[in-house]
Amino acid sequence: MKKLTLKDVAKQLGVSTATISNAFNRPDQLSANKRTEILEACKEIGYTGPNRAAQILRKGQSNIVALVLADSLDYMVTDPVANTFIQGVSRVLRENQKHLLLYAGDSDTITDVVDFVDGFICYGAPRNGALSTQLNQQSKPVVTVDFNLENRPAINIDNEKASYEIAKAALRPGDRAAILGLRLIDSPSTCRIYDSPLLDAESSITHRRLDGYCRALKETGIEVATDWIWNLPENAGMYAVQAAREVLQSSPRPDVILCMSDIIALELLQCALTMGIDIPGELRITGFDGIEEAARTRPYMATVCQSSVEKGMEAAKLLLSGDNTSMSLPYEIKLGETI
Amino acid sequence: MKKLTLKDVAKQLGVSTATISNAFNRPDQLSANKRTEILEACKEIGYTGPNRAAQILRKGQSNIVALVLADSLDYMVTDPVANTFIQGVSRVLRENQKHLLLYAGDSDTITDVVDFVDGFICYGAPRNGALSTQLNQQSKPVVTVDFNLENRPAINIDNEKASYEIAKAALRPGDRAAILGLRLIDSPSTCRIYDSPLLDAESSITHRRLDGYCRALKETGIEVATDWIWNLPENAGMYAVQAAREVLQSSPRPDVILCMSDIIALELLQCALTMGIDIPGELRITGFDGIEEAARTRPYMATVCQSSVEKGMEAAKLLLSGDNTSMSLPYEIKLGETI
DNA sequence: TAAGCGTTCTAAATCGTTTAACCTTTTGTT
DNA sequence: AACAAAAGGTTAAACGATTTAGAACGCTTA
C-alpha cells in the first residue's frame, strides 16, 4: 500500500511522466481533452497530485514563508501587537496559498530553514543579532518590519516623528521627565541605562523613538538625563511592573513618563492608580502602539496608534510582490486623557 | 556564485559524497579525525551543511510540524486560549529543533502540506469537517486536542465533568437558566438553537460541555429548553456581545447564564454591569477556560481553569514521542464572585 | 514530393541528498 | 598463523518530481 508516484500513474495510463506533470502544472503544454482525461484518471486511482517534497527540491520553491519574530515565540505570540501583525501576515499569505512558518528571533541560525522557505518576513530586530547578518547574506527575499537591514525593503512608521509629536503634546517647560524604553541596551533585566552603550542604534525602532523623545525634550528646554531612562529587555508585563515601581518610587517623582509601548504604559498606569497618584494631574503618561486595551483604560491612554494588521498585510504583500521598495505607513496621535 | 553542494565539497576534499554526508549525520560511520577535518574544511570553503530541501525528500522527514487550528488563523491567533496553547506547543518543538507551521482549519485540504510535514497537532475540530477525514486517512502522526479523531491520540480535559461541576455550583432549584454555547450548530451568526440539528456531537468538546450543563440542570430539577440555548459560531467578542444583549433583554431574564468560554462570559458580565444588573444578586454567570483576564474582573469570574500552555506542551510531546495513548489533563473549578 | 510548421508527447538530465551494499584494511581471538 | 569481526570508506541506486531538447505526427503549401 505504498503511495503512488508520478511514475506509477504514468505507467498505468500509458503516457510519460512529463505529461502527467504537465497536466498538473502547465495546462498549456497539452490538449484540454488529454488533461481532463488524465486528471480524472488520477482522481480515480487515488493520486492526489505531485509530491510536495519532491516539488520543493526540484522547483526550489515551497510556498512556505518564514516569519521571523524578534524574540522567542513563547513570548511573541502573546504580545497583542505582534499578534495582530501575525494576523495580517497570515491573511495575505492565505489568500496567496502560501504557508506560514513561525521562526524565533533568538535562534542560533537560519540554516535549518533557509534552503526550503521562499522568503523571510522579519518582525523587529532579531534578539540574536547574528541572524540579521545571516539573513542579509543569503539570497532569498527578505522584508523587514520595524527595523532595517541593508538593501532590503522595510516597512515602518516614522517612529522618530511620532515619538516627537506625542512627547511634545505631553511635555510642559520645567517638567521632570522619565522614559521607559525598550531594548535600548543589552541587559537581561529592567534597569536604568546610565552610560551603557546603546544597542545597534541604526536599525532599531526604539532608538528612533528615543531620538524623537529627546528632540521634544530639548525643544521644551528639558535636559536629557540617562539615569532617568529605563530599559526593558522585552515588551512584557513583568518587566514593565518592575520599571513602573522603580520610576514611581524615585524622588522627586517625574511629572511625565514617556513609554515606548502600550504594554509598559498600561502597567505603569495601573501601578500609579494603585498608589493613588492622580493622572494626569500629578503625572502624565504616554504609550505607543495603540493596542485595544489602551482605549479601554480609565483615564484612557495617550498613545500613537498604528495598525498592526495592516503592517502585516503590507509586509506579506511586499514579500510576495518581489518588489524592493520600502514603505512608510501612517500613524495617528491619540491624545487620550492621560496627558 | 552558485551554492555549494555535497558533490562539490566531496570533489574538493577528495572523498566521496557519502563520507561528507556521514560527517554531518552519522558520526559513528567515520573516524573522529576525518570528521572534524571534514567539518572544518566545510566551514572554510563555506558549505553550511546538507541542503534541507533535498534532505526532506530523501529522508521523508522535515522537522516541520503543522499546527492545525480550528478556525482561520486570522482569528485563532488572537484568542488568548489558543494563544497560550500555541505558546506551549512552540516551546516543546523548539526544544526539539522542530519547526512550527501554522495551518488554518477552514482550509480546503491538507494535501499541500501533508507530503512534507512530519505530523499534525490539531487544536479543536477543524471548521472544515472534511479535514478531519483527510487527517485520519493519511499516515503521518496526528495528535488531537479538545476533540477526538478515531484511533488517534487525544489530549483533553473531562469537559463533561467540569461543566457539570461548575453548573452545579451555580444553579439553585427553581432557577431560570440560559446557556451561551459555542459551535453547537452550523450557523454563521449568533442565534438560539431551537431544534437545529447538533453538529458532530461526538467529537466536539462543546457538546461535552453541553452534556455536563444538562446533567446539572436535570439534577437540580430545571428543564432544558433549546430556546434558552444560544450558539456562537466562534469564540470572539463580537459574537459574544450580541448574544449577551439578546439574552439579557429577554424577559423574564434568566437567573443564571452558563457560558462555554471566558471570552463569552466576560463580554456578558460587561454588558450586565452596564445595564446595572447586580452580579451575583440578580444574575449569576459562569465561564470556562480560566484565561488571565477572567481573574481580573470585578466581581471576578467563576470559571473552570485549565492550563493551555501545558496542553500545548503535552500535545507536542505526545506527537514527538510517537506514542498512541490519549491523556486527560487536570482542571480546577474556581468559584469566583459571580455565582 | 519535400519542406515547413504547429502541436502533442517522450526521453533523459537534473535537483542535492541519503543509505544499502560492497570493498579494503585493521584489529582481536584462539 | 589463520580467520572472524570491526572499522573506515566508496559506489551507485534511490527519493519523486520538473523541464529542456527533440521526436513523431498530421497538415498545409510551394
Side-chain angles (χ1 to χ4, degrees), chain B residues 145-205:
Chain B
V145 181
D146 283 358
F147 87 112
N148 295 297
L149 220 48
E150 236 185 319
N151 298 326
R152 303 288 195 172
I155 290 194
N156 268 304
I157 66 164
D158 189 337
N159 280 280
E160 200 274 345
K161 186 150 165 270
S163 306
Y164 167 80
E165 288 172 11
I166 188 105
K168 205 67 200 292
L171 294 167
R172 316 264 183 280
D175 272 348
R176 283 185 303 270
I179 296 176
L180 298 193
L182 204 49
R183 299 207 216 162
L184 296 170
I185 62 170
D186 184 22
S187 159
S189 60
T190 300
C191 63
R192 306 185 190 217
I193 70 174
Y194 296 112
D195 304 322
S196 319
L198 292 191
L199 216 47
D200 54 6
E202 262 318 302
S203 70
S204 156
I205 51 161

Side-chain angles (χ1 to χ4, degrees), chain B residues 27-173:
Chain B
D28 55 314
Q29 299 287 312
L30 74 176
S31 64
N33 276 348
K34 191 122 203 160
R35 174 150 192 265
T36 57
E37 181 193 317
I38 288 179
L39 291 183
E40 272 176 19
C42 284
K43 197 167 278 176
E44 198 144 322
I45 62 180
Y47 180 74
T48 51
N51 179 297
R52 308 301 257 128
Q55 233 172 13
I56 294 173
L57 171 60
R58 179 59 233 231
K59 286 197 173 178
Q61 202 217 32
S62 63
N63 292 334
I64 304 175
V65 170
L67 176 52
V68 182
L69 297 171
D71 272 303
S72 78
L73 303 194
D74 252 37
Y75 164 62
M76 287 305 278
V77 175
T78 326
D79 181 0
V81 189
N83 222 293
T84 45
F85 177 81
I86 297 176
Q87 212 177 115
V89 171
S90 81
R91 193 180 302 172
V92 171
L93 290 186
R94 176 94 199 276
E95 280 163 11
N96 290 276
Q97 329 241 52
K98 306 290 180 193
H99 296 293
L100 178 60
L101 185 87
L102 246 34
Y103 203 86
D106 59 348
S107 307
D108 295 329
T109 167
I110 52 162
T111 48
D112 47 352
V113 297
V114 69
D115 286 331
F116 67 81
V117 300
D118 291 347
F120 298 87
I121 295 175
C122 212
Y123 183 65
R127 163 169 295 266
N128 175 358
L131 280 194
S132 301
T133 319
Q134 291 179 34
L135 279 167
N136 229 6
Q137 279 168 357
Q138 58 82 48
S139 62
K140 303 258 167 107
V142 176
V143 168
T144 64
V145 181
D146 283 358
F147 87 112
N148 295 297
L149 220 48
E150 236 185 319
N151 298 326
R152 303 288 195 172
I155 290 194
N156 268 304
I157 66 164
D158 189 337
N159 280 280
E160 200 274 345
K161 186 150 165 270
S163 306
Y164 167 80
E165 288 172 11
I166 188 105
K168 205 67 200 292
L171 294 167
R172 316 264 183 280

